[in-house]
Amino acid sequence: MKILLTRPKGRNEELARAIRAAGHEAECVPLIALEPLGDEPIDLDGYDWVLVTSAMGARELRRRGRGRPGKFAAIGRTTADALGDADLVARVSTQEGLLAELPRPAGRVLFAGAESARRLLIEELEAEFVPLYRTRQLAPTLPNADLVVLASPSAARAYAAIGARGPAVSIGPETTSAAKSLGLDVAAEASTQDTDGLLAAVEAATR
């Protein structure tokens, strides 16, 4: 089976190795690019919670953050690992899952993420928001493949925008919802947002 990996450049290699070790062919063709939005320091002192919902956001926050909030919360284990320290890791890797586990009242909250991030956490918690990066869709010519791995709603949108319609593996509920809304066929959804979860979903979709 030939599996197409579509994460940004430099972020497909670990999954590609795992897929090849499982006996499949893997080809990396990024569908999105992530672009940092500046270098100015971000003061984290005074916040009760800082919320991060992506590995890219976590890395940018580590690069630009100064001081220390009361606590950090991450949407999933991969994001927590990229952050290096999270006091709360959502068991369900969605904004809804993270929201459900935060104490109320949450106090003063900062949400650090993508420029185009969903506004649920901001609206529900009256959180301040700092955009750390933007997502840019790419339009590569895709090779023939038996299955595509979509690791974000943005990747699903980029995949649909170029007219691709092959079966897909999704990294989680938000990506699945975006893919299905675009008419894409989601053959399997990862139970965890990491290499093991994606590999298990690929194996389930290729049986």
Side-chain angles (χ1 to χ4, degrees):
M1 300 285 284
K2 185 172 184 177
I3 317 298
L4 184 64
L5 308 183
T6 63
R7 275 176 161 167
K9 185 177 179 180
R11 295 194 57 206
N12 291 297
E13 286 70 16
E14 182 179 350
L15 180 58
R17 286 192 294 271
I19 286 173
R20 290 167 186 145
H24 304 293
E25 183 181 352
E27 184 158 351
C28 305
V29 183
L31 284 175
I32 58 173
L34 304 179
E35 302 174 344
L37 293 174
D39 300 305
E40 300 82 2
I42 299 168
D43 184 6
L44 303 181
D45 287 329
Y47 290 102
D48 296 290
W49 286 93
V50 171
L51 314 181
V52 188
T53 58
S54 69
M56 176 67 173
R59 286 189 289 271
E60 283 299 292
L61 192 63
R62 288 185 68 179
R63 183 174 72 89
R64 296 175 56 190
R66 302 292 184 272
R68 168 91 190 184
K71 292 182 179 181
F72 286 104
I75 202 168
R77 176 47 54 192
T78 299
T79 300
D81 289 345
L83 189 59
D85 179 17
D87 301 281
L88 177 88
V89 180
R91 286 168 289 185
V92 177
S93 297
T94 63
Q95 286 201 19
E96 288 83 356
L98 184 54
L99 183 64
E101 296 191 45
L102 283 166
R104 303 294 186 90
R108 188 182 178 209
V109 179
L110 176 67
F111 173 31
E115 185 179 55
S116 58
R118 293 175 63 208
R119 311 289 292 184
L120 176 69
L121 291 169
I122 300 168
E123 293 168 358
E124 291 292 326
L125 299 170
E126 298 183 350
E128 297 174 50
F129 174 58
V130 56
L132 297 176
Y133 66 98
R134 67 168 55 96
T135 301
R136 179 167 55 87
Q137 288 188 15
L138 306 177
T141 299
L142 298 181
N144 292 327
D146 300 293
L147 189 69
V148 62
V149 176
L150 300 175
S152 68
S154 297
R157 288 189 286 270
Y159 188 63
I162 58 179
R165 287 295 181 270
V169 160
S170 158
I171 198 170
E174 290 185 13
T175 301
T176 296
S177 177
K180 288 184 174 180
S181 73
L182 294 162
L184 301 178
D185 172 23
V186 178
E189 179 182 293
S191 59
T192 57
Q193 294 188 325
D194 54 19
T195 297
D196 289 342
L198 285 169
L199 180 61
V202 166
E203 295 286 20
T206 55
R207 289 194 187 106

